[in-house]
Amino acid sequence: MTAFRILDFRALRKNSLLGFAKVELPSGMIVADVTVLSGERGPWASPPSKPMVGRDGVAMKDANGKLRYSPIIEFTSKEIRDKFSEAVIAAIRESHPEAFA
């Protein structure tokens, strides 16, 4: 296998959110809950993250009251992260073109 493959896509439109994808990487690793978003420069994909929880067990929020998130998967550079995003979006365009309609 040489390309990313979308095993599942769950549409969930809310503000910039388009949905979530389960992605099989060329290595065979499967990444669940890849967030697919839309912005001024078009769609992009973000690896999964989880809400940050304080010592008191309560989800942490930023100054605007929005939940803060911590990455589950990180990349060694912005360039590699961008390549991941581009590959996920290309795979979704092929398998679920309605996601961007």
Side-chain angles (χ1 to χ4, degrees):
M1 178 189 331
T2 58
F4 284 27
R5 192 166 71 122
I6 305 303
L7 302 177
D8 184 41
F9 180 76
R10 296 181 325 271
L12 179 63
R13 292 189 178 259
K14 183 178 179 184
N15 300 321
S16 62
L17 178 66
L18 298 176
F20 298 92
K22 180 184 270 190
V23 182
E24 183 178 353
L25 307 181
S27 66
M29 183 170 100
I30 295 173
V31 181
D33 293 327
V34 173
T35 308
V36 181
L37 303 123
S38 179
E40 290 180 11
R41 297 185 202 167
W44 57 283
S46 180
S49 59
K50 62 182 180 179
M52 295 174 70
V53 178
R55 292 181 190 203
D56 59 0
V58 176
M60 298 171 71
K61 296 184 178 181
D62 66 15
N64 296 320
K66 291 187 177 185
L67 285 175
R68 292 178 57 193
Y69 288 88
S70 175
I72 295 172
I73 296 172
E74 296 182 84
F75 298 94
T76 56
S77 70
K78 182 183 181 319
E79 291 77 22
I80 294 173
R81 181 184 174 110
D82 289 347
K83 285 182 182 181
F84 170 84
S85 176
E86 291 165 9
V88 169
I89 295 303
I92 293 172
R93 283 191 195 284
E94 185 175 311
S95 63
H96 296 277
E98 73 283 359
F100 305 111

